[in-house]
Amino acid sequence: MPATAAPGAPGERPALCGHDQRSGSAAVYACAEEGDLLEVRLGDLHPTQPAIGYDQIYYKLGRYTLGKDDVNKRFDDWCEANGQGGVEDAEPDATLADPSTFDCEVEIGDETDAELDAMKTLVVGPGGVPYLTDGHHTFTSLLEVAGPDVRVRVRVQDNLSTLPTSRFWERMEADDRVWLRDADGSTVEPTDLPGRLGLDTMNDDELRGLVYFTKDIGYASPEALYAQFRWGNWITGNPEIDLSEWDRGDVESYLAAVRAVSEAQTALDADDVVDGGYTAAELGALEEWNDGDAADDGEFAKLARPYSDDKPGKLAYAMEYKKEHGLE
């Protein structure tokens, strides 16, 4: 693993180092180096954004609790986040609380660069606080279905534990590792960020949720952080996208909204600025709607599959979960 000295004076180690090496303690985080893979407790992670797209979480929770997969999707998501590819097999009573009850495709130590790159990331802040910089939706989904004590490995992007708090947040903003806009588009301060992951602590960004379902229909996964939020801001400022009839509790209305947004995404020129100086190309806009497939084929058709299908679409799972839990 690449390693660097913790920030501060040359050769300086944070004062917490060596005092308490219990897994998940502030000392462990404070002593972490760039590139380290740390096992973290989901309940210990601090968000770097105030909101998430609830509908994306509802899809995941629907898949986890109502799913028709041979092996529950929650184990697949945990294995991928842990740098171990997908899930290979799971015991009938398998639980995320005990990884020995299921098998991932890749053994620890055999991970490829691609599998390590797919892992979620954190930055260590003042006092050894772990700030999650990627993976808010995945980890919130896992936390909601299995609780805050579930543990998973996360890749350390940087250790800024010796910086003063004000300088830390300046650095985080400069490195584009914090999103300080709330669900309504208003600017928030770092002190306004929630202290932990969860549907009870993070606000619902409806447009961020909508953008999730346009993936691979209007845009492909870009490298730019917070791309989905930037697409959401673009929707708000685009008078040609009419979502006045959008009903989040009706699948046909939701599909119509997905189509309207994704068609507008693919209508952009590659160098059109979307949000924050990022162009359509930088945010992954596809050249053709639905990647060139007709509406009854490709990713849009997969998204539209009803819950009665052997392999329901993402929207069907989200709708079914909301119906089961009175969230419509």
Side-chain angles (χ1 to χ4, degrees):
M1 301 289 176
T4 60
E12 178 184 341
R13 288 168 59 81
L16 288 172
C17 281
H19 290 185
D20 183 356
Q21 293 303 306
R22 292 173 299 172
S23 179
S25 72
V28 170
Y29 295 119
C31 297
E33 298 181 336
E34 179 184 344
D36 282 354
L37 306 182
L38 295 185
E39 183 184 81
V40 302
R41 176 180 174 271
L42 294 183
D44 291 339
L45 294 169
H46 288 238
T48 52
Q49 59 193 54
I52 50 178
Y54 279 20
D55 284 343
Q56 178 177 344
I57 305 297
Y58 294 150
Y59 152 63
K60 289 285 189 177
L61 295 180
R63 188 78 178 269
Y64 295 166
T65 61
L66 308 168
K68 304 181 179 183
D69 307 293
D70 292 335
V71 179
N72 194 280
K73 173 70 171 169
R74 72 182 74 181
F75 302 112
D76 203 52
D77 286 352
W78 185 95
C79 287
E80 181 180 1
N82 209 53
Q84 295 183 263
V87 68
E88 191 170 70
D89 193 22
E91 298 176 6
D93 59 349
T95 170
L96 291 177
D98 183 3
S100 71
T101 60
F102 57 94
D103 297 316
C104 300
E105 294 173 340
V106 179
E107 295 288 336
I108 297 290
D110 292 338
E111 306 93 338
T112 65
D113 289 343
E115 286 152 352
L116 294 177
D117 286 344
M119 294 178 69
K120 309 310 180 185
T121 54
L122 66 78
V123 169
V124 183
V129 174
Y131 286 94
L132 187 67
T133 49
D134 179 44
H136 292 77
H137 288 78
T138 295
F139 286 164
T140 297
S141 300
L142 295 177
L143 182 150
E144 292 291 338
V145 78
D149 290 329
V150 168
R151 310 184 77 84
V152 64
R153 294 189 305 169
V154 178
R155 179 163 49 84
V156 178
Q157 279 186 314
D158 209 343
N159 186 331
L160 305 178
S161 60
T162 62
L163 290 181
T165 298
S166 59
R167 179 68 185 111
F168 168 73
W169 287 114
E170 289 174 3
R171 176 73 175 272
M172 291 287 281
E173 287 193 68
D175 292 343
D176 203 17
R177 289 176 175 168
V178 61
W179 182 259
L180 295 176
R181 279 188 267 184
D182 211 340
D184 60 1
S186 62
T187 300
V188 301
E189 297 297 323
T191 52
D192 297 323
L193 293 171
R196 58 180 175 82
L197 299 172
L199 291 175
D200 63 336
T201 63
M202 305 186 74
N203 295 327
D204 180 18
D205 190 323
E206 297 181 3
L207 294 180
R208 169 61 180 78
L210 172 58
V211 168
Y212 170 72
F213 295 108
T214 70
K215 182 181 176 183
D216 297 323
I217 301 170
Y219 79 102
S221 295
E223 293 185 4
L225 289 176
Y226 309 110
Q228 294 86 354
F229 285 109
R230 297 190 185 283
W231 280 120
N233 287 340
W234 167 78
I235 293 171
T236 300
N238 191 330
E240 296 182 5
I241 300 177
D242 181 8
L243 298 179
S244 60
E245 301 298 320
W246 178 30
D247 180 355
R248 294 174 64 194
D250 178 80
V251 68
E252 293 303 322
S253 176
Y254 216 122
L255 283 169
V258 168
R259 182 155 190 170
V261 170
S262 56
E263 286 181 340
Q265 287 173 315
T266 56
L268 292 170
D269 291 332
D271 58 356
D272 284 344
V273 176
V274 174
D275 179 74
Y278 286 88
T279 66
E282 290 171 328
L283 295 182
L286 295 174
E287 294 183 2
E288 295 183 275
W289 181 77
N290 201 27
D291 207 20
D293 291 319
D296 60 355
D297 199 2
E299 293 301 318
F300 188 78
K302 290 180 183 178
L303 181 68
R305 289 174 181 167
Y307 183 68
S308 58
D309 197 277
D310 289 341
K311 293 185 177 181
K314 292 178 179 179
L315 272 178
Y317 275 125
M319 297 297 175
E320 192 69 17
Y321 182 84
K322 289 196 283 189
K323 183 174 72 174
E324 289 278 332
H325 293 269
L327 299 169
E328 296 178 291

